[in-house]
Amino acid sequence: MKEFIINILRGMVIGIANVIPGVSGGTMMVSMGIYDRLILVLTHFIKRMKEAVALLVPILVGMLLSIAIFAKIFSEFLFPRFPLQTNLFFIGLILGGLPVIYGKVRGNTIRLPQIIAFVLFFVMVVGFALVGEGGGSSADISFSVGNVVKLFGVGIIAAATMVIPGVSGSMIMMILGYYNTIIDTINDFINALKAFDINAMLNTFVVLVPFGIGVLVGIVAVAKLIEFMLKKYPLITYWAIIGLIVASPFAILIMMEVSSVGVVNILTGIVLLAAGFLISLKLGGE
């Protein structure tokens, strides 16, 4: 029961991270020590069905709860009013996972391929953040075969960036112009569900169904790719992941919009950074 509750909490952190531009859900998975297990059960779901269900169900419940309850609070209240403190809290969550992932490579000689992997993926994340400004326009979602195919493709891309540590799925969706569209449609679905408005719910399916199918396909495909890389080139893959994670705080700070910074903001931000770090360490404990 304790593990079930902890996995719900982990899912809530992952869910919030996946809807906040600049924050990576994959990084949160690594930070909380469940990344390898998630990749394993996703790629061997049939063989490990009991273990997969025990791990995935509470995480999925936590993700849905956080998206329904907290995502709007973070995106419309905390980030606009307390951008420094909120971003530092997420940076703390990210940094708290570094000891876990560094433990995978500790004691091994660092060679040129690992250095190249670290630098390449570090630069990629920071580069995405630098070009990601102003990408929050809404895409055309009028019903057509072309738009259905586009939504399916965006779902695959979103899933890939959700699974890969260090890359923010929501940031990539902003660059593609689908972030506002998906978030608004999810909010419309939640409001329709609360009012039990069947017609309104069906209207959201035009967007959510092809996008959701794309997400499922993307998660399985990318999970299989990552599993292959971890088996064949573990050290290079882990150093690439470390590069992604180390770059994440820089990407968050680059994308952060702060009008003014006072002493109180800095002090409370430091406290929240430490709190995020400790929470991540605690949730990462196996």
Side-chain angles (χ1 to χ4, degrees):
M1 188 62 183
K2 180 183 176 182
E3 183 68 14
F4 186 85
I5 294 172
I6 289 175
N7 281 335
I8 288 179
L9 294 174
R10 287 167 171 164
M12 293 177 76
V13 173
I14 294 167
I16 294 172
N18 275 325
V19 297
I20 303 300
V23 184
S24 165
T27 300
M28 293 297 102
M29 296 174 199
V30 174
S31 296
M32 292 178 290
I34 58 172
Y35 189 75
D36 290 359
R37 286 172 59 200
L38 277 172
I39 295 297
L40 186 64
V41 299
L42 284 170
T43 52
H44 301 280
F45 185 83
I46 303 299
K47 291 181 181 179
R48 296 173 172 265
M49 187 173 290
K50 186 176 179 181
E51 180 186 352
V53 171
L55 179 63
L56 294 175
V57 168
I59 287 176
L60 184 60
V61 168
M63 288 177 67
L64 293 174
L65 280 173
S66 67
I67 291 171
I69 300 171
F70 298 112
K72 204 166 186 178
I73 295 173
F74 271 88
S75 62
E76 295 184 8
F77 178 74
L78 292 177
F79 271 92
R81 297 195 180 192
F82 309 102
L84 181 65
Q85 295 95 321
T86 309
N87 279 294
L88 286 176
F89 175 71
F90 275 103
I91 289 173
L93 287 173
I94 291 167
L95 296 178
L98 270 177
V100 174
I101 193 66
Y102 182 70
K104 305 285 187 179
V105 298
R106 186 186 291 115
N108 292 284
T109 304
I110 302 174
R111 303 184 185 279
L112 183 61
Q114 286 115 51
I115 295 173
I116 292 173
F118 175 90
V119 173
L120 179 64
F121 283 88
F122 179 95
V123 171
M124 181 182 71
V125 172
V126 174
F128 275 137
L130 288 172
V131 302
E133 294 185 83
S137 58
S138 295
D140 173 28
I141 55 168
S142 56
F143 183 72
S144 68
V145 174
N147 282 338
V148 168
V149 172
K150 283 181 184 178
L151 284 164
F152 176 76
V154 170
I156 292 176
I157 295 170
T161 53
M162 288 173 191
V163 173
I164 298 172
V167 183
S168 167
S170 48
M171 182 172 69
I172 300 302
M173 286 173 65
M174 285 185 74
I175 295 171
L176 296 174
Y178 279 85
Y179 179 76
N180 288 337
T181 298
I182 299 300
I183 292 297
D184 290 344
T185 306
I186 291 172
N187 287 332
D188 289 343
F189 174 78
I190 292 169
N191 292 332
L193 186 63
K194 288 177 182 176
F196 202 67
D197 187 337
I198 303 297
N199 288 330
M201 280 191 282
L202 290 174
N203 288 334
T204 65
F205 288 174
V206 175
V207 174
L208 296 182
V209 170
F211 176 76
I213 294 172
V215 167
L216 291 175
V217 171
I219 285 174
V220 173
V222 174
K224 285 189 175 294
L225 174 62
I226 291 173
E227 183 191 39
F228 171 80
M229 293 299 296
L230 286 171
K231 280 184 178 179
K232 293 289 185 180
Y233 312 102
L235 289 178
I236 292 175
T237 305
Y238 280 124
W239 273 108
I241 291 173
I242 291 171
L244 293 167
I245 293 172
V246 171
S248 292
F250 293 96
I252 291 172
L253 292 173
I254 288 169
M255 295 189 70
M256 182 173 62
E257 296 180 3
V258 180
S259 56
S260 61
V261 178
V263 176
V264 175
N265 290 339
I266 294 173
L267 292 176
T268 52
I270 291 171
V271 170
L272 285 169
L273 185 146
F277 185 89
L278 293 174
I279 289 171
S280 185
L281 281 179
K282 185 66 177 177
L283 292 177
E286 291 297 318

